[in-house]
Amino acid sequence: MSYLFGRAALRALLCGPRFPGLLVRPSSGGPSWPQERALVKVKPDGVQRRLVGTVIQRFEMRGFRLVGMKMLQAPESILAEHYHHLKKKPFYPALISYMSSGPVVVMVWEGDNVVRISRVMVGHTDSIKAAPGTIRGDFSVHISRNVIHASDSVEAAQREIQLWFQSSELLN
Ligand code: UDP
Ligand code: MG
């Protein structure tokens, strides 16, 4: 009897609202609203410096879920679209040439407020201003070699995810 009660109690505990991650059937609990997603990209300097694992570890340890990832030599057409808002900047040609100089690793991370939190984790664009503890603050040597990209708004994230991924490449 106490054994049966013990099993029932354990089941109630694991399947109850306090432990949604332990649910056996996903349909029986957990968030029912679409989770926020962000596009994160390890740039060619980050890949060359073997920082992909460090970046993944930081996002995993912060509690986000990886729902898509691939490594590719970025086509110029995608880069032009991605950085279209910077087309008139003097550094634009150098940016496109740097982003084409080697493979990138693009990822989609999911979780509550992932866009705002990942921008904080990534740090300031300019390595001089990037705080220690942020990815750029710990690894970036110059504004033009700043290791990582992260979407700067939910709208930008949606646009960038569609630009870099087919929907069949992402987990639901
Ligand atoms: N960038 C650069 N020189 C600059 C400003 C930006 O090379 O003076 C590059 C840098 O790689 C940066 C990217 O352009 O990450 C996009 O710029 P943005 O202002 O969107 O910064 P981010 O969102 O990446 O922090
Ligand atoms: Mg930006």
Side-chain angles (χ1 to χ4, degrees):
M1 185 69 184
S2 67
Y3 166 73
L4 280 177
F5 175 77
R7 279 201 354 168
L10 182 64
R11 187 175 162 71
L13 189 66
L14 293 181
C15 294
R18 286 188 60 203
F19 297 95
L22 295 174
L23 284 167
V24 179
R25 282 174 294 127
S27 59
S28 58
S32 56
W33 58 90
Q35 288 274 287
E36 188 171 299
R37 291 180 168 188
L39 185 96
V40 171
K41 170 159 33 81
V42 183
K43 297 180 177 183
D45 57 321
V47 174
Q48 194 182 8
R49 292 172 60 199
R50 314 286 198 264
L51 292 171
V52 176
T54 301
V55 168
I56 291 173
Q57 189 178 37
R58 289 194 181 202
F59 278 82
E60 281 186 336
M61 294 194 76
R62 189 65 195 245
F64 296 124
R65 281 180 300 283
L66 183 60
V67 294
M69 177 165 76
K70 61 185 174 185
M71 186 179 209
L72 73 163
Q73 181 74 43
E76 278 205 22
S77 57
I78 292 190
L79 292 172
E81 181 90 23
H82 182 102
Y83 290 115
H84 69 97
H85 57 297
L86 300 174
K87 223 159 213 158
K88 296 207 167 77
K89 299 281 183 189
F91 59 82
Y92 179 79
L95 172 63
I96 298 299
S97 143
Y98 148 61
M99 290 301 302
S100 314
S101 66
V104 296
V105 174
V106 272
M107 303 174 237
V108 177
W109 289 91
E110 186 179 83
D112 285 348
N113 298 307
V114 64
V115 169
R116 281 176 63 193
I117 294 172
S118 55
R119 289 292 292 190
V120 174
M121 290 167 65
V122 162
H124 198 281
T125 311
D126 190 346
S127 53
I128 293 170
K129 297 179 187 157
T134 64
I135 294 169
R136 286 169 171 168
D138 290 347
F139 304 112
S140 167
V141 290
H142 190 263
I143 192 168
S144 66
R145 297 290 183 274
N146 60 6
V147 179
I148 187 168
H149 163 85
S151 311
D152 65 5
S153 67
V154 172
E155 296 70 35
Q158 284 166 358
R159 195 175 58 244
E160 291 170 359
I161 290 168
Q162 281 176 14
L163 179 64
W164 289 90
F165 286 90
Q166 308 284 330
S167 56
S168 59
E169 295 174 309
L170 301 173
L171 296 178
N172 278 312

